[in-house]
Amino acid sequence: MTQSPQPVLEVEDLSIRFQERGRSLLAVRNLSFQVARGETLAIVGESGCGKSITALALLGLVPPPGRAEGKAIRLEGRNLLGLGPEALRDVRGRRIAMVFQEPMTTLNPVLTIGEQIVETIRDHETVSRREARDRALTLLERVHIPDPVRRFGEHPHRLSGGMRQRVVIAMALACNPVVLVADEPTTALDVTIQAQILDLIDELKQGGMGVVLITHDLGVVAGHAERVLVMYAGRKVEERAAADLFATPLHPYTRGLIAARPRRRVDGGGRPRLVEIPGTVPSLAAMPPGCAFAPRCASATEDCTAAEPPLTVLKNTSLEDGQVACLRVGDFLAPSHSLPHARLA
Amino acid sequence: MALVVLGIAVVNFFLLHLAPGDAAQVLAGEAGSATPEYMAALRRQFGLDQPLPLQFLQYLGNLLTFNLGFSFRHGLPVLELIGQRLPATLLLMTASIGFAVLAGSALGVVAARNAGRLADTLISTLALLFYATPVFWIGLVLVVVFSVGLDWLPVGGMTSVEAGYGGWDHVKDVARHLVLPAATLGLFYLAIYTRLMRAAMLEVTTQDFVRTAVAKGLKPRRIALRHVLRNALLPVVTMLGVQVGSILGGAVLVETIFAWPGLGRLAFEALFQRDLNLLLGILLCSSAVVVVVNLAVDLLYTVLDPRIDFAR
């Protein structure tokens, strides 16, 4: 991929392995992607496809017995894989920060909001208490919290879910990170609040921050991400520019996801029946042979179960630098694209 | 609160009167000349010849005027007797609970932060040992080792007999006498707090906000003390409130072993001498202590956990 001049985050060949009682399972396999400054990369997939654990791996937070392995997670050129605990701690919260799914539980109930922002600043930079406090107040303002001086001294239980998520974002921004990882930041919130939070993240990335947005909601992706990475069973199955993905989804799984979105009522009629992808994500311990999606795929052929389809780059087509892992991708491309051969590596 | 204490007093009164025998019998037995006339005279003198309901009404009437009655055995008003002994018991209780909570929590924190490693195994084993060992046995062993063997600390009592100490020397003297009884009484509770704190710390560690703290890149020490410990203290404080009652019970044993001039021993003696007025007074007094401590614990909650509000 050559789309971005200087990626701020590069993940190369990342695998996440869980080893327990002699069994070794791969929750994520050979995942690579890049995020540029000011860009949002959305990672999309069903529950259990490995997107949340990928988010945790970016901050070196994979819980034991899990382990991140592979070539590199490069943040501003520096490989985080293999950093010691102290070096990793220094990077977390300062250069790369995270926003979690559940704002009700991600804040410590017994500390005030102000304390929780200030401690982040003071554990990374040598600043006076007073200066840290001023910065925390500015941060609360930046995430549009009304009356920040009052909120500063309040405990989380006094705030609504949307407000808490703003506080979590303010906390994440405390040291001006270059990458923000947001793991389902709006799942636990009302629809109207969801839009506000996503708009806020959009606004904040104007400063040149790269954003990794983890979500299962394609609706979120449409308005707020430049690129979309679709994961299935721990593997990247498609990565495209967001506009391309919605216009011509290629992988059958992506097409299933897009078809499965709830749709508006058609004129005069009822709401169209909600389409679903049959079956469920396979368990890591019982992966089907070949393409992991084959058992649920309407287009699967015998070849699909023979070997895992390689990730192919769609060069020399109008789709530029998209990537898809499907044997039959050539059949799905519209004739106008005139792909000479399905596999173009 | 006053109702709770009054209820306890009523229950105590009838419970104690269920037991056979009275002060007159004990006194007469000791005197060796138990003629029926002598015993009847004693009973009349003590007011024990009245029917039980009447005795009860009189007792209640006295309570309302804070008159706890008269101990015929000691020849002193009950209130005065308790007043003499209460400070010693409160001192012993505070010292042993303070020791148990502080040292126990500290050990629990160390064990939790090193969960599964050598320090944790050592601390957990030790806690189990203290938990399982009878209090009187610990007391005797401590006496054998530190008083008899090493001669570091006094065997018993609260002050040295040669005494005459004043001011600061007196404080030091009492403190030296306090070490063994407080340690004996405290070790059992220390074991409980160690185990409780370890479990609470490990549980809080799995909470989302701790993961947030790690993701913020906070220093491990700050995470452990500020985020985990603050939240793990809640169950410990709950336990504290529950245990004040039982530690008063434990004090009876320890005060007897170490000849500590406290309420526990007084109650123990009163029970055997059927000195019901005194016993009732002591029980009332300890229930008041427990109630007050529980109130203090409830107030402490609101400080520790901002989600708990007076209004609710």
PDB file of all heavy atoms in Angstrom, chain A residues 61 89 92-93 100 105-106 108-110 115-116 119-120 123-124 155, chain B residues 208-209 211-212 214-219 222 226-227 230-231 306-307:
ATOM      1  N   LEU A  61      -1.347  -4.610  25.658  1.00  0.00           N
ATOM      2  CA  LEU A  61      -2.229  -4.935  26.779  1.00  0.00           C
ATOM      3  C   LEU A  61      -2.897  -6.299  26.634  1.00  0.00           C
ATOM      4  O   LEU A  61      -3.879  -6.571  27.315  1.00  0.00           O
ATOM      5  CB  LEU A  61      -3.330  -3.873  26.902  1.00  0.00           C
ATOM      6  CG  LEU A  61      -2.936  -2.506  27.423  1.00  0.00           C
ATOM      7  CD1 LEU A  61      -4.109  -1.553  27.344  1.00  0.00           C
ATOM      8  CD2 LEU A  61      -2.440  -2.601  28.848  1.00  0.00           C
ATOM      9  N   ARG A  89       5.139   1.259  29.257  1.00  0.00           N
ATOM     10  CA  ARG A  89       4.322   2.125  30.097  1.00  0.00           C
ATOM     11  C   ARG A  89       4.476   3.587  29.674  1.00  0.00           C
ATOM     12  O   ARG A  89       3.522   4.354  29.643  1.00  0.00           O
ATOM     13  CB  ARG A  89       4.739   1.992  31.566  1.00  0.00           C
ATOM     14  CG  ARG A  89       3.933   2.887  32.495  1.00  0.00           C
ATOM     15  CD  ARG A  89       4.535   3.045  33.855  1.00  0.00           C
ATOM     16  NE  ARG A  89       5.666   3.954  33.898  1.00  0.00           N
ATOM     17  CZ  ARG A  89       5.588   5.277  33.764  1.00  0.00           C
ATOM     18  NH1 ARG A  89       4.430   5.847  33.551  1.00  0.00           N
ATOM     19  NH2 ARG A  89       6.664   6.014  33.816  1.00  0.00           N
ATOM     20  N   ARG A  92       2.473   4.192  26.433  1.00  0.00           N
ATOM     21  CA  ARG A  92       1.027   4.158  26.669  1.00  0.00           C
ATOM     22  C   ARG A  92       0.545   5.466  27.276  1.00  0.00           C
ATOM     23  O   ARG A  92       1.128   5.962  28.221  1.00  0.00           O
ATOM     24  CB  ARG A  92       0.692   3.075  27.698  1.00  0.00           C
ATOM     25  CG  ARG A  92       0.619   1.709  27.178  1.00  0.00           C
ATOM     26  CD  ARG A  92       0.171   0.802  28.314  1.00  0.00           C
ATOM     27  NE  ARG A  92       0.630  -0.539  28.074  1.00  0.00           N
ATOM     28  CZ  ARG A  92       1.214  -1.302  28.997  1.00  0.00           C
ATOM     29  NH1 ARG A  92       1.393  -0.850  30.211  1.00  0.00           N
ATOM     30  NH2 ARG A  92       1.597  -2.511  28.693  1.00  0.00           N
ATOM     31  N   GLY A  93      -0.533   5.959  26.738  1.00  0.00           N
ATOM     32  CA  GLY A  93      -1.099   7.164  27.320  1.00  0.00           C
ATOM     33  C   GLY A  93      -0.380   8.422  26.870  1.00  0.00           C
ATOM     34  O   GLY A  93      -0.930   9.504  26.931  1.00  0.00           O
ATOM     35  N   PHE A 100     -12.209   3.027  25.644  1.00  0.00           N
ATOM     36  CA  PHE A 100     -12.844   1.710  25.734  1.00  0.00           C
ATOM     37  C   PHE A 100     -14.339   1.774  25.478  1.00  0.00           C
ATOM     38  O   PHE A 100     -14.936   2.851  25.402  1.00  0.00           O
ATOM     39  CB  PHE A 100     -12.579   1.095  27.102  1.00  0.00           C
ATOM     40  CG  PHE A 100     -11.142   0.774  27.344  1.00  0.00           C
ATOM     41  CD1 PHE A 100     -10.312   1.665  28.004  1.00  0.00           C
ATOM     42  CD2 PHE A 100     -10.601  -0.419  26.891  1.00  0.00           C
ATOM     43  CE1 PHE A 100      -8.981   1.372  28.223  1.00  0.00           C
ATOM     44  CE2 PHE A 100      -9.276  -0.715  27.097  1.00  0.00           C
ATOM     45  CZ  PHE A 100      -8.461   0.182  27.766  1.00  0.00           C
ATOM     46  N   THR A 105     -17.883   1.692  33.262  1.00  0.00           N
ATOM     47  CA  THR A 105     -16.936   0.968  34.115  1.00  0.00           C
ATOM     48  C   THR A 105     -15.481   1.326  33.869  1.00  0.00           C
ATOM     49  O   THR A 105     -14.609   0.865  34.587  1.00  0.00           O
ATOM     50  CB  THR A 105     -17.093  -0.559  33.930  1.00  0.00           C
ATOM     51  OG1 THR A 105     -16.895  -0.861  32.550  1.00  0.00           O
ATOM     52  CG2 THR A 105     -18.447  -1.039  34.356  1.00  0.00           C
ATOM     53  N   THR A 106     -15.203   2.150  32.853  1.00  0.00           N
ATOM     54  CA  THR A 106     -13.793   2.423  32.575  1.00  0.00           C
ATOM     55  C   THR A 106     -13.231   3.539  33.447  1.00  0.00           C
ATOM     56  O   THR A 106     -12.035   3.757  33.448  1.00  0.00           O
ATOM     57  CB  THR A 106     -13.557   2.798  31.106  1.00  0.00           C
ATOM     58  OG1 THR A 106     -14.532   3.742  30.728  1.00  0.00           O
ATOM     59  CG2 THR A 106     -13.639   1.608  30.210  1.00  0.00           C
ATOM     60  N   ASN A 108     -12.633   5.101  37.281  1.00  0.00           N
ATOM     61  CA  ASN A 108     -12.580   4.655  38.662  1.00  0.00           C
ATOM     62  C   ASN A 108     -13.653   5.382  39.473  1.00  0.00           C
ATOM     63  O   ASN A 108     -13.654   6.603  39.541  1.00  0.00           O
ATOM     64  CB  ASN A 108     -11.192   4.947  39.230  1.00  0.00           C
ATOM     65  CG  ASN A 108     -10.989   4.323  40.591  1.00  0.00           C
ATOM     66  OD1 ASN A 108     -11.933   4.131  41.348  1.00  0.00           O
ATOM     67  ND2 ASN A 108      -9.756   3.998  40.905  1.00  0.00           N
ATOM     68  N   PRO A 109     -14.566   4.632  40.108  1.00  0.00           N
ATOM     69  CA  PRO A 109     -15.694   5.274  40.784  1.00  0.00           C
ATOM     70  C   PRO A 109     -15.305   6.131  41.990  1.00  0.00           C
ATOM     71  O   PRO A 109     -16.066   7.010  42.377  1.00  0.00           O
ATOM     72  CB  PRO A 109     -16.566   4.094  41.221  1.00  0.00           C
ATOM     73  CG  PRO A 109     -15.663   2.911  41.228  1.00  0.00           C
ATOM     74  CD  PRO A 109     -14.644   3.173  40.165  1.00  0.00           C
ATOM     75  N   VAL A 110     -14.158   5.878  42.596  1.00  0.00           N
ATOM     76  CA  VAL A 110     -13.842   6.604  43.833  1.00  0.00           C
ATOM     77  C   VAL A 110     -12.923   7.811  43.623  1.00  0.00           C
ATOM     78  O   VAL A 110     -12.620   8.513  44.573  1.00  0.00           O
ATOM     79  CB  VAL A 110     -13.243   5.676  44.922  1.00  0.00           C
ATOM     80  CG1 VAL A 110     -14.160   4.497  45.192  1.00  0.00           C
ATOM     81  CG2 VAL A 110     -11.867   5.191  44.541  1.00  0.00           C
ATOM     82  N   GLU A 115      -8.980  14.247  39.021  1.00  0.00           N
ATOM     83  CA  GLU A 115      -7.850  13.447  39.491  1.00  0.00           C
ATOM     84  C   GLU A 115      -7.410  12.445  38.433  1.00  0.00           C
ATOM     85  O   GLU A 115      -6.216  12.196  38.244  1.00  0.00           O
ATOM     86  CB  GLU A 115      -8.236  12.690  40.765  1.00  0.00           C
ATOM     87  CG  GLU A 115      -8.323  13.536  42.012  1.00  0.00           C
ATOM     88  CD  GLU A 115      -8.883  12.764  43.202  1.00  0.00           C
ATOM     89  OE1 GLU A 115      -9.898  12.038  43.057  1.00  0.00           O
ATOM     90  OE2 GLU A 115      -8.313  12.883  44.285  1.00  0.00           O
ATOM     91  N   GLN A 116      -8.393  11.873  37.739  1.00  0.00           N
ATOM     92  CA  GLN A 116      -8.052  10.812  36.788  1.00  0.00           C
ATOM     93  C   GLN A 116      -7.393  11.365  35.533  1.00  0.00           C
ATOM     94  O   GLN A 116      -6.637  10.657  34.866  1.00  0.00           O
ATOM     95  CB  GLN A 116      -9.300   9.997  36.434  1.00  0.00           C
ATOM     96  CG  GLN A 116      -9.870   9.322  37.663  1.00  0.00           C
ATOM     97  CD  GLN A 116     -10.957   8.314  37.365  1.00  0.00           C
ATOM     98  OE1 GLN A 116     -10.786   7.435  36.536  1.00  0.00           O
ATOM     99  NE2 GLN A 116     -12.074   8.418  38.045  1.00  0.00           N
ATOM    100  N   GLU A 119      -3.651  12.685  36.872  1.00  0.00           N
ATOM    101  CA  GLU A 119      -2.649  11.652  37.143  1.00  0.00           C
ATOM    102  C   GLU A 119      -2.008  11.156  35.847  1.00  0.00           C
ATOM    103  O   GLU A 119      -0.831  10.817  35.825  1.00  0.00           O
ATOM    104  CB  GLU A 119      -3.259  10.488  37.925  1.00  0.00           C
ATOM    105  CG  GLU A 119      -4.301   9.697  37.149  1.00  0.00           C
ATOM    106  CD  GLU A 119      -4.864   8.530  37.944  1.00  0.00           C
ATOM    107  OE1 GLU A 119      -4.459   8.349  39.104  1.00  0.00           O
ATOM    108  OE2 GLU A 119      -5.710   7.798  37.402  1.00  0.00           O
ATOM    109  N   THR A 120      -2.792  11.136  34.762  1.00  0.00           N
ATOM    110  CA  THR A 120      -2.224  10.718  33.486  1.00  0.00           C
ATOM    111  C   THR A 120      -1.110  11.675  33.057  1.00  0.00           C
ATOM    112  O   THR A 120      -0.032  11.255  32.639  1.00  0.00           O
ATOM    113  CB  THR A 120      -3.315  10.716  32.390  1.00  0.00           C
ATOM    114  OG1 THR A 120      -4.479  10.082  32.905  1.00  0.00           O
ATOM    115  CG2 THR A 120      -2.841  10.000  31.152  1.00  0.00           C
ATOM    116  N   ASP A 123       2.021  11.437  35.474  1.00  0.00           N
ATOM    117  CA  ASP A 123       2.842  10.224  35.403  1.00  0.00           C
ATOM    118  C   ASP A 123       3.690  10.186  34.136  1.00  0.00           C
ATOM    119  O   ASP A 123       4.537   9.315  33.976  1.00  0.00           O
ATOM    120  CB  ASP A 123       1.967   8.964  35.505  1.00  0.00           C
ATOM    121  CG  ASP A 123       1.976   8.406  36.928  1.00  0.00           C
ATOM    122  OD1 ASP A 123       2.463   9.121  37.828  1.00  0.00           O
ATOM    123  OD2 ASP A 123       1.504   7.274  37.139  1.00  0.00           O
ATOM    124  N   HIS A 124       3.434  11.122  33.218  1.00  0.00           N
ATOM    125  CA  HIS A 124       4.207  11.117  31.975  1.00  0.00           C
ATOM    126  C   HIS A 124       5.095  12.341  31.823  1.00  0.00           C
ATOM    127  O   HIS A 124       6.088  12.303  31.117  1.00  0.00           O
ATOM    128  CB  HIS A 124       3.263  11.039  30.775  1.00  0.00           C
ATOM    129  CG  HIS A 124       2.681   9.675  30.583  1.00  0.00           C
ATOM    130  ND1 HIS A 124       3.435   8.580  30.284  1.00  0.00           N
ATOM    131  CD2 HIS A 124       1.401   9.227  30.664  1.00  0.00           C
ATOM    132  CE1 HIS A 124       2.649   7.518  30.190  1.00  0.00           C
ATOM    133  NE2 HIS A 124       1.414   7.879  30.421  1.00  0.00           N
ATOM    134  N   HIS A 155     -17.354  13.111  40.868  1.00  0.00           N
ATOM    135  CA  HIS A 155     -17.067  11.689  40.651  1.00  0.00           C
ATOM    136  C   HIS A 155     -17.865  11.190  39.458  1.00  0.00           C
ATOM    137  O   HIS A 155     -18.914  11.745  39.131  1.00  0.00           O
ATOM    138  CB  HIS A 155     -17.413  10.893  41.903  1.00  0.00           C
ATOM    139  CG  HIS A 155     -16.465  11.155  43.025  1.00  0.00           C
ATOM    140  ND1 HIS A 155     -16.699  12.096  43.995  1.00  0.00           N
ATOM    141  CD2 HIS A 155     -15.251  10.636  43.314  1.00  0.00           C
ATOM    142  CE1 HIS A 155     -15.679  12.130  44.833  1.00  0.00           C
ATOM    143  NE2 HIS A 155     -14.792  11.254  44.446  1.00  0.00           N
TER     144      HIS A 155
ATOM    145  N   ASP B 208     -12.565  -3.053  34.844  1.00  0.00           N
ATOM    146  CA  ASP B 208     -12.263  -2.257  33.653  1.00  0.00           C
ATOM    147  C   ASP B 208     -11.421  -1.019  33.962  1.00  0.00           C
ATOM    148  O   ASP B 208     -10.529  -0.669  33.206  1.00  0.00           O
ATOM    149  CB  ASP B 208     -13.568  -1.799  32.985  1.00  0.00           C
ATOM    150  CG  ASP B 208     -14.199  -2.927  32.193  1.00  0.00           C
ATOM    151  OD1 ASP B 208     -13.558  -3.989  32.083  1.00  0.00           O
ATOM    152  OD2 ASP B 208     -15.323  -2.742  31.693  1.00  0.00           O
ATOM    153  N   PHE B 209     -11.725  -0.351  35.073  1.00  0.00           N
ATOM    154  CA  PHE B 209     -11.028   0.920  35.295  1.00  0.00           C
ATOM    155  C   PHE B 209      -9.549   0.702  35.602  1.00  0.00           C
ATOM    156  O   PHE B 209      -8.741   1.605  35.414  1.00  0.00           O
ATOM    157  CB  PHE B 209     -11.715   1.770  36.362  1.00  0.00           C
ATOM    158  CG  PHE B 209     -11.787   1.147  37.725  1.00  0.00           C
ATOM    159  CD1 PHE B 209     -10.691   1.166  38.561  1.00  0.00           C
ATOM    160  CD2 PHE B 209     -12.951   0.556  38.168  1.00  0.00           C
ATOM    161  CE1 PHE B 209     -10.754   0.599  39.820  1.00  0.00           C
ATOM    162  CE2 PHE B 209     -13.025  -0.014  39.417  1.00  0.00           C
ATOM    163  CZ  PHE B 209     -11.920   0.006  40.248  1.00  0.00           C
ATOM    164  N   ARG B 211      -7.778  -1.590  33.972  1.00  0.00           N
ATOM    165  CA  ARG B 211      -7.234  -1.703  32.618  1.00  0.00           C
ATOM    166  C   ARG B 211      -7.071  -0.299  32.012  1.00  0.00           C
ATOM    167  O   ARG B 211      -6.076  -0.014  31.351  1.00  0.00           O
ATOM    168  CB  ARG B 211      -8.175  -2.547  31.745  1.00  0.00           C
ATOM    169  CG  ARG B 211      -7.572  -2.882  30.394  1.00  0.00           C
ATOM    170  CD  ARG B 211      -8.550  -3.677  29.560  1.00  0.00           C
ATOM    171  NE  ARG B 211      -9.789  -2.929  29.358  1.00  0.00           N
ATOM    172  CZ  ARG B 211     -10.849  -3.396  28.718  1.00  0.00           C
ATOM    173  NH1 ARG B 211     -10.824  -4.619  28.235  1.00  0.00           N
ATOM    174  NH2 ARG B 211     -11.922  -2.670  28.558  1.00  0.00           N
ATOM    175  N   THR B 212      -8.042   0.561  32.271  1.00  0.00           N
ATOM    176  CA  THR B 212      -7.920   1.950  31.803  1.00  0.00           C
ATOM    177  C   THR B 212      -6.662   2.593  32.381  1.00  0.00           C
ATOM    178  O   THR B 212      -5.909   3.252  31.666  1.00  0.00           O
ATOM    179  CB  THR B 212      -9.133   2.783  32.249  1.00  0.00           C
ATOM    180  OG1 THR B 212     -10.310   2.079  31.908  1.00  0.00           O
ATOM    181  CG2 THR B 212      -9.119   4.142  31.609  1.00  0.00           C
ATOM    182  N   VAL B 214      -3.961   1.183  33.362  1.00  0.00           N
ATOM    183  CA  VAL B 214      -2.773   0.636  32.695  1.00  0.00           C
ATOM    184  C   VAL B 214      -2.631   1.258  31.310  1.00  0.00           C
ATOM    185  O   VAL B 214      -1.541   1.660  30.896  1.00  0.00           O
ATOM    186  CB  VAL B 214      -2.867  -0.898  32.587  1.00  0.00           C
ATOM    187  CG1 VAL B 214      -1.656  -1.456  31.840  1.00  0.00           C
ATOM    188  CG2 VAL B 214      -2.955  -1.531  33.959  1.00  0.00           C
ATOM    189  N   ALA B 215      -3.757   1.377  30.609  1.00  0.00           N
ATOM    190  CA  ALA B 215      -3.714   1.933  29.255  1.00  0.00           C
ATOM    191  C   ALA B 215      -3.291   3.396  29.264  1.00  0.00           C
ATOM    192  O   ALA B 215      -2.758   3.899  28.283  1.00  0.00           O
ATOM    193  CB  ALA B 215      -5.081   1.785  28.591  1.00  0.00           C
ATOM    194  N   LYS B 216      -3.532   4.087  30.383  1.00  0.00           N
ATOM    195  CA  LYS B 216      -3.108   5.479  30.487  1.00  0.00           C
ATOM    196  C   LYS B 216      -1.607   5.573  30.720  1.00  0.00           C
ATOM    197  O   LYS B 216      -1.045   6.658  30.746  1.00  0.00           O
ATOM    198  CB  LYS B 216      -3.823   6.164  31.662  1.00  0.00           C
ATOM    199  CG  LYS B 216      -5.275   6.447  31.393  1.00  0.00           C
ATOM    200  CD  LYS B 216      -5.846   7.487  32.351  1.00  0.00           C
ATOM    201  CE  LYS B 216      -5.885   7.021  33.789  1.00  0.00           C
ATOM    202  NZ  LYS B 216      -6.581   7.984  34.672  1.00  0.00           N
ATOM    203  N   GLY B 217      -0.974   4.428  30.977  1.00  0.00           N
ATOM    204  CA  GLY B 217       0.466   4.436  31.212  1.00  0.00           C
ATOM    205  C   GLY B 217       0.830   4.922  32.599  1.00  0.00           C
ATOM    206  O   GLY B 217       1.888   5.485  32.812  1.00  0.00           O
ATOM    207  N   LEU B 218      -0.048   4.688  33.577  1.00  0.00           N
ATOM    208  CA  LEU B 218       0.281   5.088  34.944  1.00  0.00           C
ATOM    209  C   LEU B 218       1.361   4.167  35.498  1.00  0.00           C
ATOM    210  O   LEU B 218       1.524   3.036  35.061  1.00  0.00           O
ATOM    211  CB  LEU B 218      -0.963   5.007  35.831  1.00  0.00           C
ATOM    212  CG  LEU B 218      -2.111   5.916  35.483  1.00  0.00           C
ATOM    213  CD1 LEU B 218      -3.161   5.868  36.585  1.00  0.00           C
ATOM    214  CD2 LEU B 218      -1.645   7.342  35.272  1.00  0.00           C
ATOM    215  N   LYS B 219       2.071   4.675  36.515  1.00  0.00           N
ATOM    216  CA  LYS B 219       3.100   3.861  37.153  1.00  0.00           C
ATOM    217  C   LYS B 219       2.434   2.743  37.952  1.00  0.00           C
ATOM    218  O   LYS B 219       1.403   2.965  38.596  1.00  0.00           O
ATOM    219  CB  LYS B 219       3.961   4.731  38.058  1.00  0.00           C
ATOM    220  CG  LYS B 219       4.769   5.715  37.232  1.00  0.00           C
ATOM    221  CD  LYS B 219       5.544   6.699  38.067  1.00  0.00           C
ATOM    222  CE  LYS B 219       6.352   7.584  37.132  1.00  0.00           C
ATOM    223  NZ  LYS B 219       6.702   8.877  37.725  1.00  0.00           N
ATOM    224  N   ARG B 222       1.294   3.482  41.450  1.00  0.00           N
ATOM    225  CA  ARG B 222       0.111   4.333  41.555  1.00  0.00           C
ATOM    226  C   ARG B 222      -1.155   3.525  41.269  1.00  0.00           C
ATOM    227  O   ARG B 222      -2.180   3.708  41.926  1.00  0.00           O
ATOM    228  CB  ARG B 222       0.211   5.506  40.583  1.00  0.00           C
ATOM    229  CG  ARG B 222      -0.813   6.579  40.921  1.00  0.00           C
ATOM    230  CD  ARG B 222      -1.053   7.560  39.820  1.00  0.00           C
ATOM    231  NE  ARG B 222       0.035   8.481  39.563  1.00  0.00           N
ATOM    232  CZ  ARG B 222       0.168   9.657  40.178  1.00  0.00           C
ATOM    233  NH1 ARG B 222      -0.675  10.022  41.099  1.00  0.00           N
ATOM    234  NH2 ARG B 222       1.158  10.451  39.851  1.00  0.00           N
ATOM    235  N   ARG B 226      -3.547   3.597  44.328  1.00  0.00           N
ATOM    236  CA  ARG B 226      -4.609   4.575  44.161  1.00  0.00           C
ATOM    237  C   ARG B 226      -5.862   3.971  43.544  1.00  0.00           C
ATOM    238  O   ARG B 226      -6.978   4.301  43.931  1.00  0.00           O
ATOM    239  CB  ARG B 226      -4.100   5.687  43.272  1.00  0.00           C
ATOM    240  CG  ARG B 226      -4.902   6.933  43.436  1.00  0.00           C
ATOM    241  CD  ARG B 226      -4.203   8.081  42.791  1.00  0.00           C
ATOM    242  NE  ARG B 226      -5.079   9.224  42.810  1.00  0.00           N
ATOM    243  CZ  ARG B 226      -4.828  10.333  42.143  1.00  0.00           C
ATOM    244  NH1 ARG B 226      -3.730  10.425  41.445  1.00  0.00           N
ATOM    245  NH2 ARG B 226      -5.666  11.319  42.186  1.00  0.00           N
ATOM    246  N   HIS B 227      -5.679   3.105  42.582  1.00  0.00           N
ATOM    247  CA  HIS B 227      -6.858   2.586  41.891  1.00  0.00           C
ATOM    248  C   HIS B 227      -7.355   1.287  42.508  1.00  0.00           C
ATOM    249  O   HIS B 227      -8.541   1.117  42.715  1.00  0.00           O
ATOM    250  CB  HIS B 227      -6.549   2.385  40.411  1.00  0.00           C
ATOM    251  CG  HIS B 227      -6.442   3.676  39.663  1.00  0.00           C
ATOM    252  ND1 HIS B 227      -7.492   4.224  38.992  1.00  0.00           N
ATOM    253  CD2 HIS B 227      -5.418   4.538  39.519  1.00  0.00           C
ATOM    254  CE1 HIS B 227      -7.121   5.377  38.446  1.00  0.00           C
ATOM    255  NE2 HIS B 227      -5.860   5.593  38.758  1.00  0.00           N
ATOM    256  N   ARG B 230      -7.721   1.599  46.943  1.00  0.00           N
ATOM    257  CA  ARG B 230      -8.842   2.422  47.371  1.00  0.00           C
ATOM    258  C   ARG B 230     -10.164   1.659  47.262  1.00  0.00           C
ATOM    259  O   ARG B 230     -11.022   1.749  48.120  1.00  0.00           O
ATOM    260  CB  ARG B 230      -8.956   3.680  46.492  1.00  0.00           C
ATOM    261  CG  ARG B 230      -8.201   4.896  46.956  1.00  0.00           C
ATOM    262  CD  ARG B 230      -8.803   5.579  48.196  1.00  0.00           C
ATOM    263  NE  ARG B 230     -10.183   5.976  48.107  1.00  0.00           N
ATOM    264  CZ  ARG B 230     -10.610   7.168  47.750  1.00  0.00           C
ATOM    265  NH1 ARG B 230      -9.754   8.096  47.424  1.00  0.00           N
ATOM    266  NH2 ARG B 230     -11.888   7.432  47.724  1.00  0.00           N
ATOM    267  N   ASN B 231     -10.313   0.919  46.186  1.00  0.00           N
ATOM    268  CA  ASN B 231     -11.562   0.180  45.990  1.00  0.00           C
ATOM    269  C   ASN B 231     -11.610  -1.110  46.795  1.00  0.00           C
ATOM    270  O   ASN B 231     -12.671  -1.574  47.169  1.00  0.00           O
ATOM    271  CB  ASN B 231     -11.773  -0.117  44.504  1.00  0.00           C
ATOM    272  CG  ASN B 231     -12.227   1.109  43.743  1.00  0.00           C
ATOM    273  OD1 ASN B 231     -13.381   1.476  43.791  1.00  0.00           O
ATOM    274  ND2 ASN B 231     -11.296   1.773  43.081  1.00  0.00           N
ATOM    275  N   PRO B 306     -17.642   7.624  47.198  1.00  0.00           N
ATOM    276  CA  PRO B 306     -18.477   8.798  46.947  1.00  0.00           C
ATOM    277  C   PRO B 306     -19.868   8.449  46.427  1.00  0.00           C
ATOM    278  O   PRO B 306     -20.755   9.285  46.444  1.00  0.00           O
ATOM    279  CB  PRO B 306     -17.682   9.567  45.893  1.00  0.00           C
ATOM    280  CG  PRO B 306     -16.765   8.571  45.278  1.00  0.00           C
ATOM    281  CD  PRO B 306     -16.473   7.567  46.338  1.00  0.00           C
ATOM    282  N   ARG B 307     -20.065   7.197  45.982  1.00  0.00           N
ATOM    283  CA  ARG B 307     -21.387   6.845  45.457  1.00  0.00           C
ATOM    284  C   ARG B 307     -22.403   6.701  46.579  1.00  0.00           C
ATOM    285  O   ARG B 307     -23.601   6.765  46.382  1.00  0.00           O
ATOM    286  CB  ARG B 307     -21.318   5.531  44.676  1.00  0.00           C
ATOM    287  CG  ARG B 307     -20.695   5.698  43.313  1.00  0.00           C
ATOM    288  CD  ARG B 307     -20.341   4.359  42.727  1.00  0.00           C
ATOM    289  NE  ARG B 307     -19.369   3.670  43.576  1.00  0.00           N
ATOM    290  CZ  ARG B 307     -18.810   2.522  43.268  1.00  0.00           C
ATOM    291  NH1 ARG B 307     -19.132   1.904  42.158  1.00  0.00           N
ATOM    292  NH2 ARG B 307     -17.926   1.967  44.054  1.00  0.00           N
TER     293      ARG B 307
END
